[in-house]
Amino acid sequence: MKRPTILVLGAGYGGLTTVVNLQKLVGQDGANIVLVNKNDYHYESTWLHEAGAGTIDSNKARYDVESVIDKSKVKFVKAEVTNIDVTERLVETTAGKMDYDYLVIGLGFEGETFGIPGLDTYALALTNLNAARQVREHIEYQFASWSLDEVKDDSKLTIVVGGAGFTGIEFLGELGNRVPELCKEFDIPQEKVRVLCVEAAPMVLPGFDEGLVEYAVSQLQKKGIEFSIGTPVVEATEEGVKIKKGEDEFEFIKAGTVVWAAGVRGNKLIETSGIENARARVRVEADMRAPGFEDVFIVGDCAFMINPEVDRPYPPTAQIAMQQGAQIAKNIVSLIEGNETSAFVPDLKGAVCSLGHDDAIGDAMGRKFTGKTASALKKVIDNRALFLVGGAGLVLKKGKFKFL
Ligand code: FAD
Ligand code: NAD
C-alpha cells in the first residue's frame, strides 16, 4: 500500500502542534509528513506585543522549526505557500508544487481593517515577527528623530493604538513600561509622549469581566495611557487617524505611530482555495475537516467553530489552535488506519491578559486574578505552550522565569 502524504501548511501553534503529535503517533513507515513554512523558524505570536514594544528582543520569541521536529519522520520545507487548490488537490509554493493525501491548513491570521480607508497603507500591526520588529523600530525612529529635530513636532511622540481587545491592551501594557525607558534613551521629557488607545465599543476588552477590566484600565492610566472609548477609527492618513465622536462629530489625532490591533481574519489564501469561507475563516466540521472535503483539515485561526454554550464563535486563540492540532493528528491517524474520526471538543481554561511583564488580569479555572499572581500565571501558560511543542529543553532555552 502507498504511504500517504500528510502536507501541513504553516508552523504556527496549530501546524506545529499537529506535526509534533503526528510524529509521535505515526510509525516510521506510516506516512510521509511534510511541513511547509515561510520561515525556518516558528515565532510565538502570543509574544508579538512584547517584540513590538521592544520589551523583549524579537529573537527571544522565535526558535528553529527543525529543533522540534523528528527529521527521520518529518520533511521540513522552507517555502511560501502561494496558492491552494483543494479541488485539484494541489498546493503551489515557492519551492514548487506539492500534492497530498491529507492536507492541514494552518496559515494563521492577518489583521482585519474592515475596509477602513488608509489603514493598510499608514498603520502598522502586530501580525507576525517582522511586522512587530517594524513597530519597535518605527517608534524608536520617531523618538530619535524628535530628539534631533531643531523644530520639534511633538506628534512624532504620539502613539495611537486602534482597538482595546486583548492585543491592544497587552501592547499598551508593554508600552507603559517601555516609554519611560525610551524617554531616558533618547533624552525626551516623558510628558511630551502621548499613548492613546481608541476603541469603537463602549468598553475596553468587550465581553471580559468588568471588575478585571476596571483594574486594567486604572493600571494603564497610572502609566499615562489615555483611552478614547466608543469612538471608532474611521480613517488613517500619513499624519494620524480620524475618529468618530458623535453623530456628525469627528476628531483628527496627529500621531507619528499608529498601531492597528482591532481584530483578525484568516489567511487570504483560504479565499481562493475552493473552500467555503467567511473573512478567510472556514466553518469546520466537528472533526476539524473543511466542509465537503474528506482530506482537508483546518487548524487555528483559519478555522471557525461555534461555541454552543453561548451561540458565538470560539475566539481565535493559541490555546484552541494547539488543542485542535492534537485532535487533527489523532483524526488523520484514525483515517489512515481505516477508523472513524472524533469531534474536537475545546477545553477552555480561561484567559489571562498581560499588562506588562509585571502585571496582568486573568479569569481562569473559575477564579479571577490580578497583579503579580496573574502575571506569574501568564508566564506559566507561555512556558506550557513551549513545553507542549519542544519539551523541557525548549522551556529552558526560551521560557520566561522572571516571576517577581
Ligand atoms: P500562527 O501562529 O499565526 O502561525 C501561522 C504560521 O503560518 C506562521 O508560522 C506563518 O509564518 C506561516 N505562514 C503564514 N502565511 C504563510 C504562507 N503563505 N506560506 C508559508 N507559511 C505561512 N492566544 C492565546 O491563546 N493566548 C495568548 O496569550 C495570546 N496572545 C496573543 C498576543 C498577540 C499580540 C497576538 C497578535 C495574538 C495572541 N493570541 C493569543 C492569539 C494567537 O496568537 C493566535 O490565535 C495563534 O497564533 C493562531 O495560531 P495559528 O497556528 O493559527 O497561526
Ligand atoms: P479582538 O477582536 O479581540 O479585539 C479588537 C478590538 O478592536 C475590539 O474591542 C473592537 O471593538 C475594536 N475595534 C474594531 N473596529 C474598531 C475601530 N474601527 N476603531 C477602534 N476600535 C475598533 O482582536 P484582538 O485583540 O486582535 O485579538 C485577536 C484574537 O487573539 C482574539 O481571539 C483574542 O482573544 C486573541 N488574543 C488573546 C490574548 C490573550 O489571551 N492574552 C492576547 C491577544 C490576542
Side-chain angles (χ1 to χ4, degrees), residues 183-258:
C183 289
K184 221 167 167 192
E185 235 171 88
F186 294 105
D187 305 308
I188 295 171
Q190 206 178 316
E191 61 276 12
K192 296 272 181 203
V193 179
R194 186 173 183 214
V195 181
L196 172 68
C197 175
V198 181
E199 166 59 49
M203 75 178 280
V204 163
L205 291 174
F208 205 55
D209 178 88
E210 282 184 32
L212 293 176
V213 171
E214 220 172 273
Y215 172 89
V217 171
S218 126
Q219 292 297 90
L220 293 173
Q221 282 173 333
K222 276 186 210 152
K223 292 184 178 179
I225 287 154
E226 298 170 45
F227 288 88
S228 176
I229 305 299
T231 55
V233 171
V234 292
E235 190 184 353
T237 72
E238 202 172 359
E239 300 270 283
V241 291
K242 187 165 150 189
I243 64 174
K244 190 169 192 284
K245 297 192 90 171
E247 191 52 32
D248 285 313
E249 199 190 331
F250 297 90
E251 182 186 339
F252 190 82
I253 298 156
K254 252 188 121 190
T257 306
V258 177

Side-chain angles (χ1 to χ4, degrees), residues 12-14 37-38 45-46 79 81 107-108 267 300-301 316-319 378:
Y13 289 101
N37 195 57
K38 203 187 269 187
S45 303
T46 59
V81 178
L107 295 173
N267 191 297
D301 282 9
T317 62
Q319 181 184 171
K378 181 84 166 81

Side-chain angles (χ1 to χ4, degrees), residues 37 145 159 163 174 328 341 373 386:
N37 195 57
S145 52
I159 303 168
E174 299 303 318
I328 288 172
T341 58
T373 318
L386 292 171

Side-chain angles (χ1 to χ4, degrees), residues 114 116 162-168 170 198-201 206 231-233 260-264 315-317 351-354 378:
F114 307 103
I116 297 169
F166 275 78
T167 300
E170 291 203 321
V198 181
E199 166 59 49
T231 55
V233 171
W260 192 241
V264 295
T317 62
V352 183
C353 178
S354 66
K378 181 84 166 81

Side-chain angles (χ1 to χ4, degrees), residues 1 52 131 314 357:
M1 207 174 84
Y314 287 106
H357 70 87

